[in-house]
Amino acid sequence: MALTKVLAGAQVVMPTKIVPGGRLIVEGTRIAQRAPEDAQVVDVSGHWLVPGFVDLHNHGGGGASFSGSVEDALTAIRAHRLHGTTTLVASTVTDDMDFLVKQAGLLSELAEQGDLAGVHFEGPFISPCRKGAHSERLLRDPDPAEVRKLVDAARGRAAMMTLATELPGGIDSVRLLVEHGVIAAVGHTDATYEQTVEAIEAGATVATHLFNAMPALGHRTPGPIAALLEDERVTVELINDGTHLHPASLQLAFHHAGAERVAFITDAMDAAGIGDGHYMLGPLEVEVSEGVARLVEGGSIAGSTLTLDRAFKRAVTVDGISVEDTVAALSANPARLLGLHDRIGSLDPGKDADLVLLDADFALKGVMRHGEWVVDPQLG
């Protein structure tokens, strides 16, 4: 029987309060209410204990992508776990349908094993006007029959699909996704305000990396940003790497949507956790320089090299977001969106023992997943 661990002395961030000098009890794979007398006590005074991070939108890391082999996918998962992401949804990138069907099957096996929380299809049903780092020749309108083909290929593990819902078949595809329990996300879109409202009414509940790959907010043509921010049913993804968003845009999203509707994501590609160099994003070449990924052809930003521990630290120390609201954006909100809030997303007793240990300056010092240390506590 595994020895019960008691992590003592940290500021423990709970859903409704921060407990100074708190105790967190880990028994087996779960957070427990009480500790036996022989429990192992680990003094983590001067640190923060927060729930493990949940990434809804991630294309890879550690030099590997979710468009590769099973081993590539496991490499990417491991790379992000080292940075506190204990729950991860694997995102595909636009490719031909046969490849995406094959990849959906591969990734769904990892989801069935518990390594992933599901599959997110970003493309090919997106707008050529807002394609970003997606191959234009492989884009297509969101035909519900093809949407269904990808959902079926994921064998119940499709978590989300990003669509340009203004395209022919877009609204019908949103309805199909909702019927099958898949999150419909509006993104890489050239939609008007009115078209976006129609998509939300049809069941779309996520804004894929709000502000990026969509028309700018205009005072006469507010476009999708205003529609997505104003509707309480919509969770907005934000890439908080200092490149994708100006701090004022991030503040606008928090102020208007409220902290309970923000989910920080990485939109990471292979270079996350590795560094500068030459990479591939699906079929497209990417050059990473000074931590910023751009397409070799055209120069479009091509995902990020972000990890969620960096997103946490930036939110608190640069953007002035409270620790409680940052934890909500990195853990509680995405867990709720995925329907996993009964297991993850907070440090309540009974939930999975997924947690991150941060020092007083919010640098990562330990990661636990299912009661086992992924990154041993660095307390020196």
Side-chain angles (χ1 to χ4, degrees):
M1 186 174 178
L3 185 67
T4 301
K5 308 177 188 76
V6 178
L7 309 180
Q11 298 206 71
V12 182
V13 183
M14 301 298 289
T16 58
K17 61 183 177 180
I18 294 175
V19 182
R23 283 161 45 98
L24 192 76
I25 301 162
V26 176
E27 186 173 20
T29 63
R30 300 292 181 91
I31 298 169
Q33 189 82 51
R34 295 181 179 82
E37 291 184 5
D38 65 346
Q40 175 192 20
V41 178
V42 181
D43 184 1
V44 289
S45 300
H47 291 72
W48 294 84
L49 276 175
V50 300
F53 307 142
V54 182
D55 196 353
L56 295 169
H57 187 152
N58 186 312
H59 296 280
S65 84
F66 293 116
S67 294
S69 66
V70 168
E71 191 50 51
D72 288 334
L74 290 171
T75 295
I77 292 165
R78 284 193 292 266
H80 284 280
R81 281 187 189 163
L82 294 176
H83 293 275
T85 298
T86 51
T87 301
L88 187 150
V89 174
S91 301
T92 62
V93 68
T94 295
D95 214 307
D96 64 56
M97 284 296 292
D98 287 343
F99 177 83
L100 290 173
V101 166
K102 170 179 158 292
Q103 208 62 18
L106 180 152
L107 295 172
S108 69
E109 288 183 15
L110 293 176
E112 288 161 5
Q113 293 168 198
D115 294 303
L116 292 171
V119 183
H120 163 219
F121 297 100
E122 188 183 28
F125 309 118
I126 60 176
S127 172
C129 303
R130 304 286 174 177
K131 65 182 184 298
H134 291 255
S135 172
E136 185 168 354
R137 69 179 180 83
L138 294 170
L139 300 182
R140 55 184 69 208
D141 291 339
D143 177 354
E146 292 193 322
V147 169
R148 175 68 186 271
K149 187 176 181 180
L150 290 182
V151 170
D152 287 348
R155 302 198 302 267
R157 301 294 177 166
M160 183 163 64
M161 184 178 291
T162 295
L163 305 165
T165 54
E166 76 277 9
L167 296 175
I171 297 300
D172 286 341
S173 294
V174 168
R175 294 193 181 106
L176 184 147
L177 291 170
V178 173
E179 287 171 8
H180 287 81
V182 180
I183 298 163
V186 177
H188 287 277
T189 176
D190 204 39
T192 63
Y193 172 88
E194 291 77 14
Q195 288 171 325
T196 308
V197 168
E198 184 184 8
I200 296 167
E201 290 299 327
T205 55
V206 167
T208 294
H209 42 55
L210 187 75
F211 299 109
N212 300 119
M214 59 182 65
L217 183 65
H219 64 291
R220 291 195 183 92
T221 54
I225 293 172
L228 294 162
L229 277 177
E230 73 183 8
D231 198 296
E232 294 183 356
R233 294 169 290 186
V234 177
T235 298
V236 298
E237 295 181 347
L238 298 175
I239 308 171
N240 192 23
D241 62 353
T243 298
H244 280 79
L245 294 176
H246 188 282
S249 297
L250 182 136
Q251 289 286 354
L252 174 68
F254 265 92
H255 177 76
H256 202 78
E260 69 279 1
R261 287 177 46 216
V262 172
F264 282 141
I265 60 162
T266 59
D267 194 17
M269 45 77 72
D270 302 27
I274 293 291
D276 292 354
H278 192 82
Y279 299 88
M280 298 295 293
L281 183 61
L284 301 178
E285 293 182 85
V286 175
E287 191 68 34
V288 177
S289 178
E290 297 182 356
V292 178
R294 293 186 180 274
L295 291 183
V296 170
E297 186 175 337
S300 174
I301 293 178
S304 85
T305 62
L306 186 63
T307 52
L308 285 182
D309 59 329
R310 285 170 45 211
F312 191 114
K313 184 170 183 175
R314 180 179 176 84
V316 176
T317 63
V318 176
D319 302 309
I321 307 299
S322 71
V323 172
E324 301 97 309
D325 287 350
T326 301
V327 166
L330 281 166
S331 303
N333 298 344
R336 184 175 61 250
L337 190 68
L338 292 170
L340 299 175
H341 54 285
D342 59 331
R343 286 181 33 221
I344 61 171
S346 74
L347 298 178
D348 289 315
K351 293 195 176 183
D352 290 352
D354 293 354
L355 58 89
V356 177
L357 183 69
L358 305 169
D359 68 13
D361 297 319
F362 302 101
L364 185 142
K365 294 297 178 180
V367 180
M368 179 181 286
R369 183 175 187 271
H370 294 181
E372 297 293 332
W373 291 108
V374 178
V375 176
D376 289 328
Q378 301 162 47
L379 303 172

